[in-house]
């Protein structure tokens, strides 16, 4: 069974601080894919990044970076120099190698960046 | 390019009624998936359709049904509404519906059942 755990329910930081959002996953699949999505107050989920289980290279995109560690089943997301526009709910999600591409989501972390 | 569109944006129904939600995928995308997001939770997978065929179904009762049309748009139907069906219903599209593809979500339909 697939499971994603985001233990941090809510995080508040002051603008320009760095923040890391944790994600731990469980799966029996040998091939799987991990995703991060951002959900602003408007409700629409915005795709941020995808990582497959064979690629453990960390990735950086502007102020965003992701750390994938297969040994600890974690896929953490760091925002550097946070901005007010980063305030949103962030979801980590997982798909396996079955036919359907159903995403298994965590419960999300609500990030509030205080000006 | 137009993203995923959903209609209506908001809906209020009473218990026992039926509802139909609509979704148009990104142009060129052949796969549509539906998710239910209850307040304070992550989205839960309901259905995936690819090329008008059901490819996957989540753990939802038979009151939930869906279909995909030749133009790849989709409808989600929920019969005999319960209070617990109140949620944000999200539609997502991808080009091939593979597990490795990112899914692109619409703004959702907020359903309130009274």
């Amino acid at each position: 069974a697939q499971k994603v755990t985001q233990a941090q329910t809510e995080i508040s930081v002051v603008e320009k601080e760095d923040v890391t959002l944790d994600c731990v996953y469980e799966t029996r699949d040998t091939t799987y894919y991990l995703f991060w999505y951002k959900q602003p107050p408007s409700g629409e989920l915005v795709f941020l990044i995808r990582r497959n289980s064979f690629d453990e290279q960390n990735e950086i995109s502007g102020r965003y970076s992701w750390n994938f560690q297969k040994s600890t089943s974690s896929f953490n997301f760091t925002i550097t120099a946070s901005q007010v526009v980063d305030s949103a709910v962030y979801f980590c999600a997982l798909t396996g190698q079955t036919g359907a591409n159903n995403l298994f989501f965590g419960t999300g972390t609500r990030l509030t960046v205080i000006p | 390019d137009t993203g995923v569109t959903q209609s209506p944006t908001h809906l209020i129904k009473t218990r026992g009624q039926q509802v139909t939600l609509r979704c148009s995928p990104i142009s060129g995308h052949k796969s549509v998936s539906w998710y239910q997001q209850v307040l304070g939770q992550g989205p839960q997978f309901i259905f995936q359709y690819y090329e008008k065929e059901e490819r996957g179904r989540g753990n939802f009762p038979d009151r939930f049904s869906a279909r995909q049309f030749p133009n790849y748009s989709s409808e989600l139907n929920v019969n005999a509404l319960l209070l617990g069906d109140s949620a944000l219903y999200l539609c997502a599209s991808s080009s091939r519906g593979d597990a490795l593809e990112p899914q692109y979500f619409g703004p959702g339909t907020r359903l309130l059942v009274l």
Side-chain angles (χ1 to χ4, degrees):
Chain A
Q2 323 276 23
K3 185 179 179 182
V4 175
T5 302
Q6 295 179 258
Q8 303 152 308
T9 305
E10 295 190 30
I11 299 176
S12 292
V13 298
V14 176
E15 200 171 20
K16 297 184 184 176
E17 285 185 345
D18 298 347
V19 60
T20 296
L21 309 182
D22 297 333
C23 172
V24 174
Y25 63 90
E26 296 175 32
T27 179
R28 293 178 189 164
D29 291 335
T30 53
T31 301
Y32 52 89
Y33 304 91
L34 295 161
F35 301 81
W36 276 94
Y37 283 85
K38 174 182 180 180
Q39 188 173 44
S42 60
E44 186 170 338
L45 283 161
V46 177
F47 166 70
L48 297 177
I49 192 172
R50 175 196 67 201
R51 175 63 79 225
N52 74 53
S53 52
F54 296 107
D55 183 1
E56 288 195 68
Q57 278 195 336
N58 292 330
E59 182 156 340
I60 298 174
S61 176
R63 296 185 296 107
Y64 295 170
S65 62
W66 291 269
N67 181 269
F68 174 36
Q69 292 198 339
K70 212 167 175 178
S71 60
T72 56
S73 297
S74 66
F75 186 41
N76 297 337
F77 174 28
T78 297
I79 302 174
T80 303
S82 59
Q83 299 177 1
V84 172
V85 293
D86 296 328
S87 297
V89 181
Y90 290 86
F91 289 96
C92 181
L94 168 70
T95 62
Q97 56 189 84
T98 56
N101 68 346
N102 44 308
L103 286 160
F104 292 87
F105 285 88
T107 51
T109 297
R110 180 178 298 278
L111 174 65
T112 302
V113 181
I114 304 165
Chain B
D1 280 347
T2 305
V4 177
T5 59
Q6 293 186 243
S7 63
T9 55
H10 294 81
L11 207 48
I12 300 176
K13 292 284 187 178
T14 56
R15 278 181 299 174
Q17 285 189 311
Q18 175 264 341
V19 67
T20 298
L21 311 180
R22 295 177 177 82
C23 170
S24 291
I26 291 171
S27 178
H29 283 190
K30 298 180 178 181
S31 174
V32 168
S33 296
W34 287 95
Y35 291 82
Q36 180 196 65
Q37 186 178 16
V38 173
L39 194 63
Q41 299 294 317
Q44 277 203 298
F45 172 73
I46 309 175
F47 285 110
Q48 183 200 359
Y49 277 78
Y50 176 71
E51 290 277 20
K52 304 183 289 295
E53 298 289 326
E54 183 182 302
R55 183 178 271 189
R57 183 185 182 119
N59 189 23
F60 280 81
D62 292 343
R63 299 185 296 108
F64 289 76
S65 63
R67 56 179 174 168
Q68 187 177 31
F69 299 99
N71 67 352
Y72 303 111
S73 67
S74 177
E75 286 182 352
L76 175 70
N77 295 286
V78 187
N79 293 323
L81 285 167
L82 304 174
L83 297 180
D85 295 331
S86 295
L88 176 66
Y89 288 84
L90 293 161
C91 174
S93 78
S94 62
S95 61
R96 299 181 311 277
D98 295 336
L100 62 86
E101 285 190 296
Q103 294 179 50
Y104 297 93
F105 285 80
T109 294
R110 293 188 184 275
L111 172 65
L112 177 61
V113 181
L114 301 175

